[in-house]
């Protein structure tokens, strides 16, 4: 359990000016990033915030990257707290109903199409197969509720201190170190004072709050849903015609239905997110009724809409190395490699459309997870540092699992060494990853 020591951060004392400054700057950054339409402001009074934990590693965000990071660090012996704003783990993989674990495979230099994602992510997939809750060997599609269950079990097994229903709202930074992370919760505002922080938020909330530079990439936002009774479609019904009903899941009667959504949307704008959420849910319901009105589809029904809106991309870290599309297409090797990911779609490269069955595996360097200013922050998931042209491969579940696994391992080693994220012994990190069955090539 989390150690609930009864001492306070006194904002009115020596840290008062710092916290007030952080809150003010953070508010301005958030308003600028989110495109806030009302420019009026209000001054929040200083107050005392209870510190509820002082872990070795704080992981913010319980999506694929955050969960992998927490498990890796926990298994390495670190005291870990994992914070998640929703009531489940898995992020868009489970709560967003983005069920395929892309991309598990890619082509090696010999032209062989091989599995490339191992480690914590592969273990998750294997556990789900054992439960008969994953289909397909390549890019397995999972059941979301089974996924939530497996991730909870793995977190519990790794002795992670789990906090649901918490949202990281600010950080206190001193001389390039995150000294505390402030959380909003049903218990009020609380603080955690970690040695190392892993940003697993997907949107790069922690790197932004810490004052790191980033790009905000506008992209298409959708909303996934599932349909039930798809095994009861009567193709012999008079007037029957083919109607799209999504793709299979491990449950025979249930399909998942993806949505591309509107292009060039700002995933950091609260008004955009609210408007699209409402619009898409109405659209999904009405489209399902049209399906049910088609002869042969009368028993099909809307099972659920995703509990998380499908924001595919937002912040991209301006980190110590920007991974490029060329890197991913030319088998570039890195001395600080921390993982390998695969390919799932045709990619335009040097004027040629390269089909997925020709796409090479690609290495990810540790430097791409590192910010330039903050000494105890490691970035994981879709917000690490990469070229925009690589977005289709960097934002997917498999890559998030790989970068998360590496971030957690690096954080644990940094704590053991008493070093910064940048100065950590990369060979020790790589050896730890290998011992945890990660693929470094």
């Amino acid at each position: 359990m989390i150690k609930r020591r009864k001492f306070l951060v006194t904002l009115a004392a020596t840290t008062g000016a710092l916290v007030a400054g952080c809150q003010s700057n953070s508010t301005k950054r958030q308003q600028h990033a989110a495109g806030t339409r009302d420019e009026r402001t209000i001054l929040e009074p200083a107050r005392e915030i209870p510190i509820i934990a002082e872990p070795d590693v704080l992981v913010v965000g319980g999506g694929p990257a955050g969960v992998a990071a927490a498990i890796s660090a926990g298994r390495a012996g670190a005291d870990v707290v994992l914070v998640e704003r929703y009531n489940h783990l898995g992020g868009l993989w489970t709560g967003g109903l983005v069920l395929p674990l892309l991309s598990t495979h890619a082509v090696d230099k010999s032209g062989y199409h091989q599995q490339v994602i191992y480690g914590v992510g592969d273990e998750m997939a294997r556990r789900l197969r054992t439960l008969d809750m994953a289909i397909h060997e390549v890019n397995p599609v999972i059941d979301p509720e089974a996924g939530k269950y497996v991730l909870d079990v793995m977190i519990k097994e790794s002795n992670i201190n789990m906090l649901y229903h918490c949202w990281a709202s600010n950080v206190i930074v001193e001389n390039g170190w995150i000294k505390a992370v402030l959380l909003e919760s049903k218990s009020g505002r609380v603080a955690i004072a970690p040695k190392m922080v892993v940003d697993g938020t997907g949107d790069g909330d922690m790197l932004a709050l810490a004052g790191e530079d980033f790009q905000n990439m506008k992209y298409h936002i959708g909303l996934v849903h599932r349909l039930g009774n798809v095994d009861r479609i009567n193709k012999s019904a008079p007037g029957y015609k083919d109607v799209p009903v999504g793709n299979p899941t491990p449950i025979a009667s249930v399909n998942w239905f993806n949505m591309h959504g509107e292009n060039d949307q700002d995933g950091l704008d609260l008004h955009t997110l609210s408007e699209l959420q409402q619009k898409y849910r109405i659209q999904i319901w009405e489209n399902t009724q049209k399906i049910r009105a088609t002869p042969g589809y009368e028993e099909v029904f809307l099972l659920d809409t995703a509990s998380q809106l499908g924001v595919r991309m937002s912040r991209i870290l301006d980190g110590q190395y920007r991974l490029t599309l060329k890197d991913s297409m030319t088998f570039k090797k890195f001395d600080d490699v921390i993982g390998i990911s695969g390919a799932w779609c045709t990619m335009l490269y040097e004027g040629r459309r390269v089909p997925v069955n020709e796409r090479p595996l690609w290495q990810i360097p540790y430097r791409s997870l590192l910010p330039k200013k903050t000494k105890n922050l490691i970035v994981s998931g879709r917000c690490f540092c990469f070229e925009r042209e690589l977005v289709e491969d960097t934002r997917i579940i498999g890559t998030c699992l790989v970068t998360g696994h590496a971030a957690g391992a690096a954080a644990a080693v940094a704590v053991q060494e008493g070093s910064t994220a940048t100065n950590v012994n990369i060979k020790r990190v790589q050896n730890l990853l290998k011992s945890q069955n990660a693929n470094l090539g």
Side-chain angles (χ1 to χ4, degrees):
M1 296 298 291
I2 293 174
K3 299 176 182 177
R4 299 181 179 275
R5 296 179 60 184
K6 301 297 184 180
F7 66 96
L8 304 175
V9 176
T10 306
L11 302 186
T14 57
T15 59
L18 174 63
V19 176
C22 284
Q23 290 176 333
S24 176
N25 290 337
S26 172
T27 301
K28 292 176 182 177
R29 285 197 300 272
Q30 291 170 354
Q31 289 175 342
H32 177 72
T36 305
R37 301 175 189 184
D38 190 342
E39 297 301 327
R40 294 177 297 171
T41 63
I42 188 169
L43 182 64
E44 181 180 7
R47 51 177 164 160
E48 295 181 333
I49 309 298
I51 296 177
I52 63 169
E54 297 178 279
D56 294 329
V57 179
L58 170 63
V59 181
V60 183
V67 173
I71 291 171
S72 176
R75 289 178 176 178
D79 175 27
V80 182
V81 172
L82 174 58
V83 170
E84 168 54 40
R85 62 173 169 160
Y86 291 111
N87 69 348
H88 61 270
L89 297 173
L92 287 176
W93 192 20
T94 57
L97 300 179
V98 184
L99 305 182
L101 199 176
L102 305 172
S103 298
T104 57
H105 288 62
V107 175
D108 63 16
K109 284 188 174 181
S110 301
Y112 177 69
H113 195 246
Q114 63 165 291
Q115 181 175 336
V116 295
I117 292 180
Y118 289 90
V120 173
D122 182 53
E123 180 182 341
M124 293 172 181
R126 286 188 284 106
R127 289 195 184 205
L128 286 161
R129 288 193 189 96
T130 299
L131 296 173
D132 291 326
M133 285 293 139
I135 55 175
H136 313 315
E137 288 295 320
V138 178
N139 301 333
V141 174
I142 72 163
D143 175 78
E145 293 303 318
K148 295 173 187 176
Y149 163 74
V150 166
L151 299 188
D152 257 332
V153 168
M154 292 178 71
I155 286 294
K156 187 174 182 179
E157 290 173 348
S158 302
N159 297 314
I160 309 302
N161 299 306
M162 187 70 230
L163 288 177
Y164 286 111
H165 308 291
C166 292
W167 191 311
S169 60
N170 211 341
V171 297
I172 299 172
V173 180
E174 246 180 46
N175 299 320
W177 283 87
I178 295 176
K179 294 295 185 179
V181 175
L182 304 185
L183 308 177
E184 304 296 338
S185 76
K186 294 298 288 186
S187 298
R189 182 175 290 181
V190 297
I192 294 180
K195 294 183 178 72
M196 297 293 297
V197 178
V198 174
D199 189 335
T201 62
D203 289 319
D205 294 343
M206 301 311 298
L207 69 90
L209 289 170
E212 294 292 336
D213 295 326
F214 60 86
Q215 304 170 19
N216 180 22
M217 184 175 181
K218 294 183 178 180
Y219 213 55
H220 43 283
I221 295 176
L223 181 66
V224 184
H225 64 282
R226 291 192 296 173
L227 296 176
N229 280 351
V230 293
D231 57 339
R232 298 187 184 184
I233 296 172
N234 181 10
K235 296 184 178 181
S236 300
Y240 170 86
K241 62 180 180 180
D242 285 333
V243 174
V245 289
N247 299 287
T249 74
I251 301 176
S253 61
V254 175
N255 277 9
W256 74 286
F257 207 122
N258 200 11
M259 175 194 285
H260 181 279
E262 297 189 14
N263 290 328
D264 302 321
Q265 299 300 301
D266 187 350
L268 303 178
D269 187 302
L270 71 91
H271 302 285
T272 296
L273 297 176
S274 300
E275 291 164 5
L276 291 180
Q277 181 73 67
Q278 183 182 74
K279 176 180 180 178
Y280 290 162
R281 182 169 283 120
I282 293 172
Q283 178 181 320
I284 288 169
W285 176 266
E286 294 178 349
N287 184 63
T288 302
Q289 303 318 303
K290 291 178 182 178
I291 293 174
R292 288 168 53 83
T294 304
Y297 295 83
E298 293 85 356
E299 293 193 59
V300 172
F301 69 96
L302 178 61
L303 177 62
D304 55 3
T305 56
S307 57
Q308 294 182 224
L309 193 63
V311 176
R312 293 174 170 92
M313 184 50 59
S314 55
R315 294 188 185 96
I316 303 174
L317 172 70
D318 180 16
Q320 296 191 17
Y321 180 81
R322 190 170 301 282
L323 193 65
T324 69
L325 177 60
K326 182 177 180 180
D327 293 340
S328 76
M329 300 295 287
T330 56
F331 295 104
K332 183 166 181 177
K333 291 189 175 183
F334 298 93
D335 290 339
D336 60 341
V337 56
I338 47 78
I340 293 175
S341 194
W344 73 278
C345 64
T346 297
M347 185 74 76
L348 183 65
Y349 177 64
E350 294 186 341
R352 174 176 174 258
R353 296 183 66 81
V354 183
V356 64
N357 60 356
E358 297 179 17
R359 294 277 312 282
L361 54 83
W362 49 283
Q363 292 189 354
I364 303 171
Y366 178 56
R367 286 165 291 159
S368 293
L369 311 186
L370 294 176
K372 294 179 178 179
K373 306 172 188 176
T374 314
K375 299 174 183 177
N376 63 334
L377 174 65
I378 306 174
V379 174
S380 65
R382 68 174 187 244
C383 53
F384 77 100
C385 187
F386 58 86
E387 195 174 54
R388 287 179 176 225
E389 288 76 9
L390 195 53
V391 64
E392 283 301 317
D393 286 341
T394 50
R395 68 178 180 83
I396 53 178
I397 304 301
T399 307
C400 291
L401 289 165
V402 170
T403 57
H405 188 173
V413 173
V415 169
Q416 292 165 5
E417 295 180 343
S419 66
T420 66
T422 297
N423 294 331
V424 70
N425 186 323
I426 188 61
K427 295 300 181 185
R428 287 191 61 190
V429 175
Q430 291 170 329
N431 288 337
L432 174 57
L433 287 168
K434 291 175 183 177
S435 74
Q436 294 180 346
N437 300 314
N439 178 20
L440 305 186

